[in-house]
Amino acid sequence: QVQLVESGGGLVQAGGSLRLSCAASGSILRFNVMGWYRQAPGKQREFVATISISGSTRYADSVKGRFTISRDNPKNTLYLQMNSLKPEDTAVYYCHGDDRWSSRMWGQGTQVTVST
């Protein structure tokens, strides 16, 4: 079974940038859609961005224009480039992959903290 492992989180000042990675233990071509969600303390997990196998992307309004999702199929890795970070972006970020049967696999999450 393919596993997803996120990395790249950390502490950054407001206005800074981070790039998250989600490495799969096998081919990500099995995932028609991959994406990112985030969960802040005391809040529900919320949608951030998705990318299809064809490269179509979708973003939450709160991150549009600041975050960029991409996938490198040969490297079996999903990315989230986050620019102009704000304190309200502080959360645990989770990647996911959805296969052709709409079964969803999650990573374990990576913490992003944006300080003022």
Side-chain angles (χ1 to χ4, degrees):
Q1 180 147 352
V2 174
Q3 293 185 327
L4 302 176
V5 179
E6 300 96 333
S7 61
L11 174 64
V12 64
Q13 286 189 328
S17 298
L18 283 174
R19 188 176 80 156
L20 304 184
S21 299
C22 173
S25 58
S27 174
I28 63 172
L29 291 176
R30 66 185 290 139
F31 299 125
N32 288 341
V33 176
M34 298 190 76
W36 295 91
Y37 276 68
R38 65 186 181 186
Q39 188 166 19
K43 295 187 177 181
Q44 289 190 330
R45 193 173 294 192
E46 65 173 7
F47 165 75
V48 175
T50 56
I51 184 168
S52 72
I53 197 169
S54 63
S56 298
T57 58
R58 190 166 65 93
Y59 296 93
D61 288 343
S62 59
V63 307
K64 204 172 292 183
R66 299 187 298 122
F67 290 11
T68 302
I69 189 171
S70 61
R71 59 191 287 174
D72 188 329
N73 292 331
K75 292 186 178 180
N76 296 317
T77 304
L78 175 73
Y79 300 101
L80 185 69
Q81 178 66 44
M82 307 187 294
N83 299 328
S84 302
L85 283 161
K86 304 175 181 180
E88 50 264 44
D89 294 319
T90 294
V92 178
Y93 284 70
Y94 298 90
C95 70
H96 71 86
D98 301 346
D99 65 22
R100 68 186 67 182
W101 299 280
S102 299
S103 177
R104 176 164 289 184
M105 179 177 297
W106 292 97
Q108 85 289 348
T110 186
Q111 176 71 47
V112 171
T113 303
V114 184
S115 64
T116 55

